[in-house]
Amino acid sequence: MTDEDKIKKAFQDRDWNEIKTHDSWVIFKVMAEFVEGFEKMAKIGPCVSVFGSARTKPDHPYYKMAEEIAAKLVRHGYGVITGGGPGIMEAGNKGAKSENGKSVGLNIELPHEQGSNVYIDPDKLISFDYFFVRKVMFVKYSQGFVIMPGGFGTLDEMFEAITLIQTNKIGKFPIVLVGKKFWAGLFDWVRDVMLTEGNISSPDLDLINLVDTPEEAVKVIDNFYSKYLLTPNF
């Protein structure tokens, strides 16, 4: 279906039978994705989600950094959750796999970035049709978020986590942004414009940790849980 077809379809009149039939099947599909996700994710233990671009190549420094972060997280007792695709996601799963840690992939098919990577544990690969179901799995089963440089999808996942923490819908889990040069402009704007306009409060900026190295990224997460005398239970 072309973009034009999708737009025209939104304006087409449908009779009640069409609406009821189509929407009922959508409800069942959504329920099925939630059930599969909850069943597979319920026992994965403490995990950190690693977000980032699907377009990052294996020879890029950010790929290497994501791989190293994931490996360190596993050595420190955490599993790793990614979006299951290529790029930074592949690097996260590869790093986790290299240390025999739990490597989870929440995959979704996209027009230009299809297919799951080979470093996901076979019993921890879940494929989704719906972005919103997939995002529920990320936030429900993560004890921290590492955000590598990425595009619109990465920004969506990052701001979803920040918003849920800001509004007390989930716990105040650590959010770590890797690559100060990459993120600096965005968060200068957040501080200079959003904060100045009163759209956010000063404490909201404390939800975000900007770092430059794998060591710093993992240290933020370790320090956060050490305050509560908690360690991963693997």
PDB file of all heavy atoms in Angstrom, residues 138-174:
ATOM      1  N   PHE A 138      10.151  -2.579  26.677  1.00  0.00           N
ATOM      2  CA  PHE A 138      11.401  -1.907  27.029  1.00  0.00           C
ATOM      3  C   PHE A 138      11.334  -1.318  28.440  1.00  0.00           C
ATOM      4  O   PHE A 138      12.221  -1.541  29.265  1.00  0.00           O
ATOM      5  CB  PHE A 138      11.704  -0.779  26.039  1.00  0.00           C
ATOM      6  CG  PHE A 138      12.395  -1.218  24.776  1.00  0.00           C
ATOM      7  CD1 PHE A 138      11.849  -0.929  23.535  1.00  0.00           C
ATOM      8  CD2 PHE A 138      13.597  -1.893  24.828  1.00  0.00           C
ATOM      9  CE1 PHE A 138      12.482  -1.309  22.374  1.00  0.00           C
ATOM     10  CE2 PHE A 138      14.247  -2.281  23.669  1.00  0.00           C
ATOM     11  CZ  PHE A 138      13.688  -1.992  22.429  1.00  0.00           C
ATOM     12  N   VAL A 139      10.294  -0.548  28.708  1.00  0.00           N
ATOM     13  CA  VAL A 139      10.261   0.186  29.976  1.00  0.00           C
ATOM     14  C   VAL A 139       9.851  -0.701  31.146  1.00  0.00           C
ATOM     15  O   VAL A 139      10.254  -0.460  32.286  1.00  0.00           O
ATOM     16  CB  VAL A 139       9.347   1.426  29.889  1.00  0.00           C
ATOM     17  CG1 VAL A 139       9.858   2.386  28.833  1.00  0.00           C
ATOM     18  CG2 VAL A 139       7.907   1.064  29.621  1.00  0.00           C
ATOM     19  N   LYS A 140       9.072  -1.736  30.874  1.00  0.00           N
ATOM     20  CA  LYS A 140       8.606  -2.599  31.962  1.00  0.00           C
ATOM     21  C   LYS A 140       9.714  -3.493  32.492  1.00  0.00           C
ATOM     22  O   LYS A 140       9.749  -3.807  33.693  1.00  0.00           O
ATOM     23  CB  LYS A 140       7.421  -3.449  31.481  1.00  0.00           C
ATOM     24  CG  LYS A 140       6.830  -4.366  32.560  1.00  0.00           C
ATOM     25  CD  LYS A 140       5.586  -5.095  32.043  1.00  0.00           C
ATOM     26  CE  LYS A 140       5.042  -6.085  33.063  1.00  0.00           C
ATOM     27  NZ  LYS A 140       4.637  -5.444  34.324  1.00  0.00           N
ATOM     28  N   TYR A 141      10.632  -3.897  31.613  1.00  0.00           N
ATOM     29  CA  TYR A 141      11.615  -4.902  32.010  1.00  0.00           C
ATOM     30  C   TYR A 141      13.057  -4.378  32.032  1.00  0.00           C
ATOM     31  O   TYR A 141      13.993  -5.167  32.098  1.00  0.00           O
ATOM     32  CB  TYR A 141      11.505  -6.122  31.093  1.00  0.00           C
ATOM     33  CG  TYR A 141      10.188  -6.839  31.267  1.00  0.00           C
ATOM     34  CD1 TYR A 141       9.171  -6.703  30.325  1.00  0.00           C
ATOM     35  CD2 TYR A 141       9.935  -7.612  32.395  1.00  0.00           C
ATOM     36  CE1 TYR A 141       7.940  -7.339  30.492  1.00  0.00           C
ATOM     37  CE2 TYR A 141       8.717  -8.249  32.571  1.00  0.00           C
ATOM     38  CZ  TYR A 141       7.725  -8.106  31.623  1.00  0.00           C
ATOM     39  OH  TYR A 141       6.508  -8.741  31.795  1.00  0.00           O
ATOM     40  N   SER A 142      13.230  -3.067  32.012  1.00  0.00           N
ATOM     41  CA  SER A 142      14.575  -2.494  32.067  1.00  0.00           C
ATOM     42  C   SER A 142      14.811  -1.825  33.407  1.00  0.00           C
ATOM     43  O   SER A 142      13.932  -1.140  33.930  1.00  0.00           O
ATOM     44  CB  SER A 142      14.769  -1.466  30.942  1.00  0.00           C
ATOM     45  OG  SER A 142      14.697  -2.082  29.678  1.00  0.00           O
ATOM     46  N   GLN A 143      16.025  -1.987  33.916  1.00  0.00           N
ATOM     47  CA  GLN A 143      16.422  -1.304  35.143  1.00  0.00           C
ATOM     48  C   GLN A 143      17.357  -0.131  34.857  1.00  0.00           C
ATOM     49  O   GLN A 143      17.919   0.473  35.755  1.00  0.00           O
ATOM     50  CB  GLN A 143      17.103  -2.285  36.105  1.00  0.00           C
ATOM     51  CG  GLN A 143      16.136  -3.177  36.869  1.00  0.00           C
ATOM     52  CD  GLN A 143      15.445  -4.204  35.986  1.00  0.00           C
ATOM     53  OE1 GLN A 143      16.105  -4.954  35.276  1.00  0.00           O
ATOM     54  NE2 GLN A 143      14.133  -4.229  36.021  1.00  0.00           N
ATOM     55  N   GLY A 144      17.517   0.182  33.600  1.00  0.00           N
ATOM     56  CA  GLY A 144      18.340   1.311  33.195  1.00  0.00           C
ATOM     57  C   GLY A 144      18.322   1.428  31.680  1.00  0.00           C
ATOM     58  O   GLY A 144      17.962   0.477  30.970  1.00  0.00           O
ATOM     59  N   PHE A 145      18.719   2.611  31.178  1.00  0.00           N
ATOM     60  CA  PHE A 145      18.677   2.880  29.743  1.00  0.00           C
ATOM     61  C   PHE A 145      19.985   3.525  29.314  1.00  0.00           C
ATOM     62  O   PHE A 145      20.396   4.545  29.874  1.00  0.00           O
ATOM     63  CB  PHE A 145      17.509   3.811  29.403  1.00  0.00           C
ATOM     64  CG  PHE A 145      16.173   3.296  29.864  1.00  0.00           C
ATOM     65  CD1 PHE A 145      15.682   3.645  31.111  1.00  0.00           C
ATOM     66  CD2 PHE A 145      15.421   2.449  29.076  1.00  0.00           C
ATOM     67  CE1 PHE A 145      14.456   3.169  31.561  1.00  0.00           C
ATOM     68  CE2 PHE A 145      14.200   1.966  29.508  1.00  0.00           C
ATOM     69  CZ  PHE A 145      13.711   2.318  30.753  1.00  0.00           C
ATOM     70  N   VAL A 146      20.634   2.919  28.327  1.00  0.00           N
ATOM     71  CA  VAL A 146      21.835   3.493  27.723  1.00  0.00           C
ATOM     72  C   VAL A 146      21.455   3.934  26.313  1.00  0.00           C
ATOM     73  O   VAL A 146      21.024   3.119  25.495  1.00  0.00           O
ATOM     74  CB  VAL A 146      22.990   2.474  27.675  1.00  0.00           C
ATOM     75  CG1 VAL A 146      24.160   3.040  26.869  1.00  0.00           C
ATOM     76  CG2 VAL A 146      23.439   2.109  29.084  1.00  0.00           C
ATOM     77  N   ILE A 147      21.618   5.229  26.050  1.00  0.00           N
ATOM     78  CA  ILE A 147      21.194   5.794  24.774  1.00  0.00           C
ATOM     79  C   ILE A 147      22.428   6.164  23.959  1.00  0.00           C
ATOM     80  O   ILE A 147      23.158   7.104  24.295  1.00  0.00           O
ATOM     81  CB  ILE A 147      20.321   7.055  24.964  1.00  0.00           C
ATOM     82  CG1 ILE A 147      19.366   6.906  26.151  1.00  0.00           C
ATOM     83  CG2 ILE A 147      19.601   7.391  23.672  1.00  0.00           C
ATOM     84  CD1 ILE A 147      18.267   5.926  25.976  1.00  0.00           C
ATOM     85  N   MET A 148      22.672   5.427  22.895  1.00  0.00           N
ATOM     86  CA  MET A 148      23.747   5.743  21.969  1.00  0.00           C
ATOM     87  C   MET A 148      23.212   6.695  20.896  1.00  0.00           C
ATOM     88  O   MET A 148      21.999   6.850  20.740  1.00  0.00           O
ATOM     89  CB  MET A 148      24.264   4.452  21.323  1.00  0.00           C
ATOM     90  CG  MET A 148      24.825   3.425  22.284  1.00  0.00           C
ATOM     91  SD  MET A 148      26.317   3.968  23.130  1.00  0.00           S
ATOM     92  CE  MET A 148      27.452   4.209  21.756  1.00  0.00           C
ATOM     93  N   PRO A 149      24.099   7.342  20.129  1.00  0.00           N
ATOM     94  CA  PRO A 149      23.631   8.215  19.051  1.00  0.00           C
ATOM     95  C   PRO A 149      22.722   7.479  18.075  1.00  0.00           C
ATOM     96  O   PRO A 149      22.965   6.318  17.727  1.00  0.00           O
ATOM     97  CB  PRO A 149      24.942   8.646  18.377  1.00  0.00           C
ATOM     98  CG  PRO A 149      25.936   8.652  19.497  1.00  0.00           C
ATOM     99  CD  PRO A 149      25.565   7.441  20.319  1.00  0.00           C
ATOM    100  N   GLY A 150      21.670   8.151  17.656  1.00  0.00           N
ATOM    101  CA  GLY A 150      20.708   7.539  16.742  1.00  0.00           C
ATOM    102  C   GLY A 150      19.816   8.575  16.107  1.00  0.00           C
ATOM    103  O   GLY A 150      20.072   9.781  16.175  1.00  0.00           O
ATOM    104  N   GLY A 151      18.735   8.095  15.496  1.00  0.00           N
ATOM    105  CA  GLY A 151      17.821   8.968  14.764  1.00  0.00           C
ATOM    106  C   GLY A 151      16.505   9.166  15.492  1.00  0.00           C
ATOM    107  O   GLY A 151      16.435   9.148  16.723  1.00  0.00           O
ATOM    108  N   PHE A 152      15.438   9.322  14.709  1.00  0.00           N
ATOM    109  CA  PHE A 152      14.129   9.609  15.283  1.00  0.00           C
ATOM    110  C   PHE A 152      13.663   8.502  16.229  1.00  0.00           C
ATOM    111  O   PHE A 152      13.066   8.769  17.268  1.00  0.00           O
ATOM    112  CB  PHE A 152      13.088   9.806  14.177  1.00  0.00           C
ATOM    113  CG  PHE A 152      13.262  11.084  13.396  1.00  0.00           C
ATOM    114  CD1 PHE A 152      12.996  11.114  12.039  1.00  0.00           C
ATOM    115  CD2 PHE A 152      13.688  12.245  14.012  1.00  0.00           C
ATOM    116  CE1 PHE A 152      13.138  12.284  11.308  1.00  0.00           C
ATOM    117  CE2 PHE A 152      13.844  13.420  13.295  1.00  0.00           C
ATOM    118  CZ  PHE A 152      13.563  13.445  11.932  1.00  0.00           C
ATOM    119  N   GLY A 153      13.919   7.246  15.849  1.00  0.00           N
ATOM    120  CA  GLY A 153      13.487   6.134  16.693  1.00  0.00           C
ATOM    121  C   GLY A 153      14.177   6.157  18.048  1.00  0.00           C
ATOM    122  O   GLY A 153      13.555   5.912  19.083  1.00  0.00           O
ATOM    123  N   THR A 154      15.475   6.468  18.045  1.00  0.00           N
ATOM    124  CA  THR A 154      16.225   6.556  19.293  1.00  0.00           C
ATOM    125  C   THR A 154      15.703   7.695  20.159  1.00  0.00           C
ATOM    126  O   THR A 154      15.545   7.547  21.381  1.00  0.00           O
ATOM    127  CB  THR A 154      17.722   6.767  18.994  1.00  0.00           C
ATOM    128  OG1 THR A 154      18.193   5.682  18.194  1.00  0.00           O
ATOM    129  CG2 THR A 154      18.538   6.837  20.274  1.00  0.00           C
ATOM    130  N   LEU A 155      15.411   8.843  19.525  1.00  0.00           N
ATOM    131  CA  LEU A 155      14.853   9.974  20.274  1.00  0.00           C
ATOM    132  C   LEU A 155      13.500   9.615  20.872  1.00  0.00           C
ATOM    133  O   LEU A 155      13.181   9.981  22.013  1.00  0.00           O
ATOM    134  CB  LEU A 155      14.700  11.191  19.356  1.00  0.00           C
ATOM    135  CG  LEU A 155      15.991  11.855  18.879  1.00  0.00           C
ATOM    136  CD1 LEU A 155      15.666  12.991  17.904  1.00  0.00           C
ATOM    137  CD2 LEU A 155      16.800  12.388  20.039  1.00  0.00           C
ATOM    138  N   ASP A 156      12.697   8.883  20.112  1.00  0.00           N
ATOM    139  CA  ASP A 156      11.380   8.457  20.596  1.00  0.00           C
ATOM    140  C   ASP A 156      11.521   7.602  21.842  1.00  0.00           C
ATOM    141  O   ASP A 156      10.843   7.826  22.858  1.00  0.00           O
ATOM    142  CB  ASP A 156      10.668   7.695  19.479  1.00  0.00           C
ATOM    143  CG  ASP A 156       9.322   7.126  19.906  1.00  0.00           C
ATOM    144  OD1 ASP A 156       8.541   7.871  20.530  1.00  0.00           O
ATOM    145  OD2 ASP A 156       9.052   5.955  19.611  1.00  0.00           O
ATOM    146  N   GLU A 157      12.416   6.623  21.784  1.00  0.00           N
ATOM    147  CA  GLU A 157      12.611   5.728  22.929  1.00  0.00           C
ATOM    148  C   GLU A 157      13.195   6.475  24.128  1.00  0.00           C
ATOM    149  O   GLU A 157      12.799   6.240  25.275  1.00  0.00           O
ATOM    150  CB  GLU A 157      13.530   4.573  22.503  1.00  0.00           C
ATOM    151  CG  GLU A 157      12.867   3.632  21.509  1.00  0.00           C
ATOM    152  CD  GLU A 157      13.855   2.828  20.682  1.00  0.00           C
ATOM    153  OE1 GLU A 157      15.046   3.187  20.622  1.00  0.00           O
ATOM    154  OE2 GLU A 157      13.423   1.845  20.065  1.00  0.00           O
ATOM    155  N   MET A 158      14.125   7.392  23.869  1.00  0.00           N
ATOM    156  CA  MET A 158      14.736   8.151  24.951  1.00  0.00           C
ATOM    157  C   MET A 158      13.709   9.028  25.659  1.00  0.00           C
ATOM    158  O   MET A 158      13.593   9.003  26.893  1.00  0.00           O
ATOM    159  CB  MET A 158      15.860   9.029  24.406  1.00  0.00           C
ATOM    160  CG  MET A 158      16.486   9.938  25.449  1.00  0.00           C
ATOM    161  SD  MET A 158      17.757  11.018  24.760  1.00  0.00           S
ATOM    162  CE  MET A 158      16.734  12.160  23.815  1.00  0.00           C
ATOM    163  N   PHE A 159      12.951   9.809  24.900  1.00  0.00           N
ATOM    164  CA  PHE A 159      11.992  10.721  25.513  1.00  0.00           C
ATOM    165  C   PHE A 159      10.813   9.981  26.137  1.00  0.00           C
ATOM    166  O   PHE A 159      10.206  10.472  27.079  1.00  0.00           O
ATOM    167  CB  PHE A 159      11.519  11.759  24.500  1.00  0.00           C
ATOM    168  CG  PHE A 159      12.500  12.880  24.292  1.00  0.00           C
ATOM    169  CD1 PHE A 159      13.109  13.071  23.062  1.00  0.00           C
ATOM    170  CD2 PHE A 159      12.838  13.725  25.335  1.00  0.00           C
ATOM    171  CE1 PHE A 159      14.025  14.091  22.876  1.00  0.00           C
ATOM    172  CE2 PHE A 159      13.755  14.756  25.158  1.00  0.00           C
ATOM    173  CZ  PHE A 159      14.356  14.939  23.922  1.00  0.00           C
ATOM    174  N   GLU A 160      10.498   8.802  25.618  1.00  0.00           N
ATOM    175  CA  GLU A 160       9.484   7.957  26.262  1.00  0.00           C
ATOM    176  C   GLU A 160       9.932   7.602  27.677  1.00  0.00           C
ATOM    177  O   GLU A 160       9.164   7.738  28.645  1.00  0.00           O
ATOM    178  CB  GLU A 160       9.277   6.681  25.449  1.00  0.00           C
ATOM    179  CG  GLU A 160       8.323   5.675  26.074  1.00  0.00           C
ATOM    180  CD  GLU A 160       6.876   5.903  25.697  1.00  0.00           C
ATOM    181  OE1 GLU A 160       6.618   6.726  24.806  1.00  0.00           O
ATOM    182  OE2 GLU A 160       6.005   5.247  26.287  1.00  0.00           O
ATOM    183  N   ALA A 161      11.178   7.145  27.810  1.00  0.00           N
ATOM    184  CA  ALA A 161      11.701   6.775  29.133  1.00  0.00           C
ATOM    185  C   ALA A 161      11.761   7.989  30.057  1.00  0.00           C
ATOM    186  O   ALA A 161      11.355   7.920  31.229  1.00  0.00           O
ATOM    187  CB  ALA A 161      13.090   6.143  28.991  1.00  0.00           C
ATOM    188  N   ILE A 162      12.256   9.121  29.536  1.00  0.00           N
ATOM    189  CA  ILE A 162      12.351  10.332  30.357  1.00  0.00           C
ATOM    190  C   ILE A 162      10.972  10.773  30.829  1.00  0.00           C
ATOM    191  O   ILE A 162      10.774  11.124  31.999  1.00  0.00           O
ATOM    192  CB  ILE A 162      13.033  11.468  29.570  1.00  0.00           C
ATOM    193  CG1 ILE A 162      14.505  11.123  29.307  1.00  0.00           C
ATOM    194  CG2 ILE A 162      12.941  12.788  30.339  1.00  0.00           C
ATOM    195  CD1 ILE A 162      15.205  12.099  28.375  1.00  0.00           C
ATOM    196  N   THR A 163       9.988  10.749  29.925  1.00  0.00           N
ATOM    197  CA  THR A 163       8.632  11.191  30.270  1.00  0.00           C
ATOM    198  C   THR A 163       8.004  10.302  31.334  1.00  0.00           C
ATOM    199  O   THR A 163       7.389  10.788  32.293  1.00  0.00           O
ATOM    200  CB  THR A 163       7.732  11.206  29.018  1.00  0.00           C
ATOM    201  OG1 THR A 163       8.288  12.092  28.050  1.00  0.00           O
ATOM    202  CG2 THR A 163       6.319  11.670  29.360  1.00  0.00           C
ATOM    203  N   LEU A 164       8.170   8.995  31.209  1.00  0.00           N
ATOM    204  CA  LEU A 164       7.579   8.072  32.184  1.00  0.00           C
ATOM    205  C   LEU A 164       8.223   8.235  33.558  1.00  0.00           C
ATOM    206  O   LEU A 164       7.545   8.125  34.583  1.00  0.00           O
ATOM    207  CB  LEU A 164       7.719   6.632  31.686  1.00  0.00           C
ATOM    208  CG  LEU A 164       6.845   6.275  30.479  1.00  0.00           C
ATOM    209  CD1 LEU A 164       7.242   4.912  29.922  1.00  0.00           C
ATOM    210  CD2 LEU A 164       5.371   6.286  30.848  1.00  0.00           C
ATOM    211  N   ILE A 165       9.518   8.513  33.591  1.00  0.00           N
ATOM    212  CA  ILE A 165      10.184   8.758  34.871  1.00  0.00           C
ATOM    213  C   ILE A 165       9.753  10.112  35.437  1.00  0.00           C
ATOM    214  O   ILE A 165       9.429  10.232  36.620  1.00  0.00           O
ATOM    215  CB  ILE A 165      11.714   8.692  34.704  1.00  0.00           C
ATOM    216  CG1 ILE A 165      12.149   7.249  34.399  1.00  0.00           C
ATOM    217  CG2 ILE A 165      12.424   9.202  35.953  1.00  0.00           C
ATOM    218  CD1 ILE A 165      13.601   7.106  34.016  1.00  0.00           C
ATOM    219  N   GLN A 166       9.723  11.131  34.589  1.00  0.00           N
ATOM    220  CA  GLN A 166       9.336  12.481  35.023  1.00  0.00           C
ATOM    221  C   GLN A 166       7.940  12.500  35.623  1.00  0.00           C
ATOM    222  O   GLN A 166       7.673  13.206  36.599  1.00  0.00           O
ATOM    223  CB  GLN A 166       9.403  13.439  33.827  1.00  0.00           C
ATOM    224  CG  GLN A 166       9.006  14.877  34.145  1.00  0.00           C
ATOM    225  CD  GLN A 166       8.561  15.627  32.911  1.00  0.00           C
ATOM    226  OE1 GLN A 166       7.833  15.090  32.080  1.00  0.00           O
ATOM    227  NE2 GLN A 166       8.999  16.868  32.783  1.00  0.00           N
ATOM    228  N   THR A 167       7.035  11.699  35.069  1.00  0.00           N
ATOM    229  CA  THR A 167       5.639  11.684  35.522  1.00  0.00           C
ATOM    230  C   THR A 167       5.367  10.590  36.554  1.00  0.00           C
ATOM    231  O   THR A 167       4.210  10.319  36.892  1.00  0.00           O
ATOM    232  CB  THR A 167       4.694  11.495  34.312  1.00  0.00           C
ATOM    233  OG1 THR A 167       5.069  10.308  33.592  1.00  0.00           O
ATOM    234  CG2 THR A 167       4.765  12.696  33.378  1.00  0.00           C
ATOM    235  N   ASN A 168       6.442   9.955  37.039  1.00  0.00           N
ATOM    236  CA  ASN A 168       6.336   8.929  38.085  1.00  0.00           C
ATOM    237  C   ASN A 168       5.513   7.712  37.669  1.00  0.00           C
ATOM    238  O   ASN A 168       4.910   7.050  38.507  1.00  0.00           O
ATOM    239  CB  ASN A 168       5.745   9.525  39.373  1.00  0.00           C
ATOM    240  CG  ASN A 168       6.663  10.557  40.000  1.00  0.00           C
ATOM    241  OD1 ASN A 168       7.870  10.349  40.098  1.00  0.00           O
ATOM    242  ND2 ASN A 168       6.088  11.680  40.404  1.00  0.00           N
ATOM    243  N   LYS A 169       5.516   7.425  36.377  1.00  0.00           N
ATOM    244  CA  LYS A 169       4.825   6.226  35.901  1.00  0.00           C
ATOM    245  C   LYS A 169       5.706   4.986  36.013  1.00  0.00           C
ATOM    246  O   LYS A 169       5.215   3.867  36.048  1.00  0.00           O
ATOM    247  CB  LYS A 169       4.351   6.415  34.449  1.00  0.00           C
ATOM    248  CG  LYS A 169       3.266   7.476  34.295  1.00  0.00           C
ATOM    249  CD  LYS A 169       2.016   7.096  35.066  1.00  0.00           C
ATOM    250  CE  LYS A 169       0.896   8.113  34.877  1.00  0.00           C
ATOM    251  NZ  LYS A 169      -0.314   7.758  35.669  1.00  0.00           N
ATOM    252  N   ILE A 170       7.015   5.196  36.020  1.00  0.00           N
ATOM    253  CA  ILE A 170       7.949   4.106  36.306  1.00  0.00           C
ATOM    254  C   ILE A 170       8.971   4.643  37.307  1.00  0.00           C
ATOM    255  O   ILE A 170       9.008   5.845  37.593  1.00  0.00           O
ATOM    256  CB  ILE A 170       8.663   3.571  35.036  1.00  0.00           C
ATOM    257  CG1 ILE A 170       9.514   4.670  34.379  1.00  0.00           C
ATOM    258  CG2 ILE A 170       7.651   3.017  34.047  1.00  0.00           C
ATOM    259  CD1 ILE A 170      10.361   4.169  33.212  1.00  0.00           C
ATOM    260  N   GLY A 171       9.805   3.759  37.843  1.00  0.00           N
ATOM    261  CA  GLY A 171      10.803   4.172  38.808  1.00  0.00           C
ATOM    262  C   GLY A 171      11.843   5.093  38.191  1.00  0.00           C
ATOM    263  O   GLY A 171      11.976   5.185  36.966  1.00  0.00           O
ATOM    264  N   LYS A 172      12.580   5.758  39.034  1.00  0.00           N
ATOM    265  CA  LYS A 172      13.596   6.716  38.580  1.00  0.00           C
ATOM    266  C   LYS A 172      14.873   5.980  38.170  1.00  0.00           C
ATOM    267  O   LYS A 172      15.938   6.115  38.768  1.00  0.00           O
ATOM    268  CB  LYS A 172      13.889   7.732  39.686  1.00  0.00           C
ATOM    269  CG  LYS A 172      14.645   8.949  39.207  1.00  0.00           C
ATOM    270  CD  LYS A 172      14.831   9.953  40.340  1.00  0.00           C
ATOM    271  CE  LYS A 172      15.602  11.171  39.895  1.00  0.00           C
ATOM    272  NZ  LYS A 172      15.806  12.130  41.003  1.00  0.00           N
ATOM    273  N   PHE A 173      14.746   5.175  37.114  1.00  0.00           N
ATOM    274  CA  PHE A 173      15.872   4.385  36.638  1.00  0.00           C
ATOM    275  C   PHE A 173      16.898   5.280  35.944  1.00  0.00           C
ATOM    276  O   PHE A 173      16.542   6.322  35.378  1.00  0.00           O
ATOM    277  CB  PHE A 173      15.387   3.299  35.677  1.00  0.00           C
ATOM    278  CG  PHE A 173      14.417   2.330  36.296  1.00  0.00           C
ATOM    279  CD1 PHE A 173      13.151   2.159  35.766  1.00  0.00           C
ATOM    280  CD2 PHE A 173      14.765   1.594  37.408  1.00  0.00           C
ATOM    281  CE1 PHE A 173      12.248   1.274  36.343  1.00  0.00           C
ATOM    282  CE2 PHE A 173      13.882   0.704  37.990  1.00  0.00           C
ATOM    283  CZ  PHE A 173      12.617   0.542  37.455  1.00  0.00           C
ATOM    284  N   PRO A 174      18.182   4.896  35.971  1.00  0.00           N
ATOM    285  CA  PRO A 174      19.208   5.731  35.351  1.00  0.00           C
ATOM    286  C   PRO A 174      19.089   5.775  33.828  1.00  0.00           C
ATOM    287  O   PRO A 174      18.853   4.758  33.179  1.00  0.00           O
ATOM    288  CB  PRO A 174      20.521   5.055  35.778  1.00  0.00           C
ATOM    289  CG  PRO A 174      20.141   3.651  36.120  1.00  0.00           C
ATOM    290  CD  PRO A 174      18.744   3.707  36.639  1.00  0.00           C
TER     291      PRO A 174
END
